[in-house]
Amino acid sequence: MTVRWEDHYPPLREPDQTLRRMTPDDLPAAVALVQSVGWGQEIADWTRIFNWSVEGCFVIEEADRGIIGTISTTPYGRALGWIGMLVIAPDRQRRGLGGRLMRAALDFLIERETACIMLDASGTGRPLYERLGFRTVCKVERWEGRASTYLGARARPMRAEDTAGVLKLDPVLFGTKRTHILMRLLEEFPDLAWVDYDHGRLAGYMLGRRTRDGIYLGPWMSQRAASAERLLRAALEHIQGQHVTMNIPDYNGRGLVLAADHNLKR
């Protein structure tokens, strides 16, 4: 009588995994994956990101389980490409899947002859990005609080006739065109858009979007600090009482001061 060791202790084998482009049918599973790691994106958020780059979003899936990893790219013409939404299922982390997804995203952007590739890095993801050659540009601070009303001059809600001016001003302030980004936000959230004029000339604008947790404000672009404050006041008055979140680069000292002055907390 004999006993085969393999019959009782079969060798461990990684499930078959496939790296491929994302499709619209993958969006519900991508949202479930994001929320499984504690992120707040919902179906509207992932749909928006996917539509900005239908060919540049990727997933890793297992035949018996479905999607276990995602990544997105957002091209700004050839000048800039932004990588985001790198998420791996908690029980599949530290197995090289993040690196596979990053290489797929980088290959896509490099094939487009993208001049500069950037991303937001958490403490967890930074070692991977540094191994791939990324270097720190700045830190981004998250500010949040309750919107409230302030006295003084304010910007006004954006109207259809302001759109052309905003699209013309934005690349001057931002550095490259991102019409597809701005127009998608304006189409989805037309009531969360403000403009400021100085002596009859457009001086700045602010857009917002609704999230699961409240209102996210940005882009927030202006030529002068006074214009930036008028835009912030108009936005906070409009969304008074709601939870508001903003991301501000650490080198934007005036933006950090304005956030603190208007009761937002780091």
Side-chain angles (χ1 to χ4, degrees):
M1 181 175 175
T2 62
V3 175
R4 295 180 58 194
W5 183 270
E6 294 85 353
D7 292 339
H8 292 272
Y9 301 97
L12 295 176
R13 185 180 67 84
E14 289 290 339
D16 292 333
Q17 297 166 344
T18 303
L19 171 62
R20 61 170 175 80
R21 280 191 166 89
M22 178 180 280
T23 72
D25 292 338
D26 297 321
L27 290 171
V31 173
L33 178 62
V34 164
Q35 295 180 355
S36 75
V37 298
W39 293 12
Q41 286 84 357
E42 297 183 322
I43 190 68
D45 304 302
W46 239 124
T47 300
R48 185 183 314 117
I49 293 167
F50 173 74
N51 286 331
W52 281 333
S53 184
V54 172
E55 296 296 317
C57 298
F58 302 89
V59 300
I60 291 179
E61 68 176 353
E62 293 179 354
D64 297 332
R65 175 172 173 176
I67 292 175
I68 59 170
T70 64
I71 199 167
S72 69
T73 66
T74 303
Y76 296 70
R78 292 184 178 180
L80 172 66
W82 200 275
I83 294 177
M85 303 305 291
L86 176 58
V87 183
I88 306 296
D91 63 336
R92 292 294 188 267
Q93 294 177 4
R94 301 186 181 279
R95 302 187 184 189
L97 301 184
R100 291 180 63 189
L101 286 164
M102 279 294 297
R103 285 188 287 274
L106 289 170
D107 287 346
F108 172 77
L109 292 171
I110 291 170
E111 186 177 358
R112 292 173 55 93
E113 299 181 352
T114 305
C116 179
I117 301 174
M118 301 182 73
L119 48 77
D120 288 326
S122 65
T124 302
R126 185 175 294 110
L128 168 62
Y129 305 140
E130 290 178 343
R131 287 197 299 272
L132 292 170
F134 285 86
R135 295 295 178 264
T136 300
V137 174
C138 69
K139 293 182 179 180
V140 177
E141 297 182 357
R142 172 155 292 186
W143 289 70
E144 58 185 18
R146 292 287 173 185
S148 56
T149 300
Y150 295 86
L151 300 176
R154 296 180 179 83
R156 64 164 173 81
M158 185 173 168
R159 298 191 287 260
E161 56 266 30
D162 299 312
T163 303
V166 167
L167 296 179
K168 184 177 180 180
L169 176 64
D170 185 69
V172 175
L173 301 178
F174 182 66
T176 189
K177 289 186 177 181
R178 50 177 174 175
T179 301
H180 58 307
I181 303 287
L182 303 184
M183 290 305 300
R184 177 77 187 212
L185 293 174
L186 287 170
E187 289 168 4
E188 284 194 59
F189 310 103
D191 60 317
L192 298 178
W194 301 269
V195 290
D196 182 68
Y197 284 81
D198 187 5
H199 295 92
R201 298 185 61 180
L202 181 65
Y205 77 92
M206 174 181 275
L207 303 183
R209 55 184 169 86
R210 292 180 180 83
T211 71
R212 183 176 64 176
D213 299 320
I215 304 294
Y216 176 88
L217 293 179
W220 178 25
M221 309 294 291
S222 65
Q223 294 177 314
R224 300 174 184 84
S227 175
E229 184 164 21
R230 290 194 293 267
L231 287 162
L232 183 58
R233 284 176 170 174
L236 293 176
E237 180 182 38
H238 179 75
I239 60 176
Q240 183 176 3
Q242 300 185 60
H243 186 268
V244 59
T245 303
M246 305 177 70
N247 286 347
I248 306 175
D250 63 352
Y251 58 76
N252 186 352
R254 185 56 181 167
L256 300 176
V257 169
L258 288 177
D261 286 347
H262 290 76
N263 291 338
L264 301 183
K265 305 296 183 183
R266 182 184 291 106

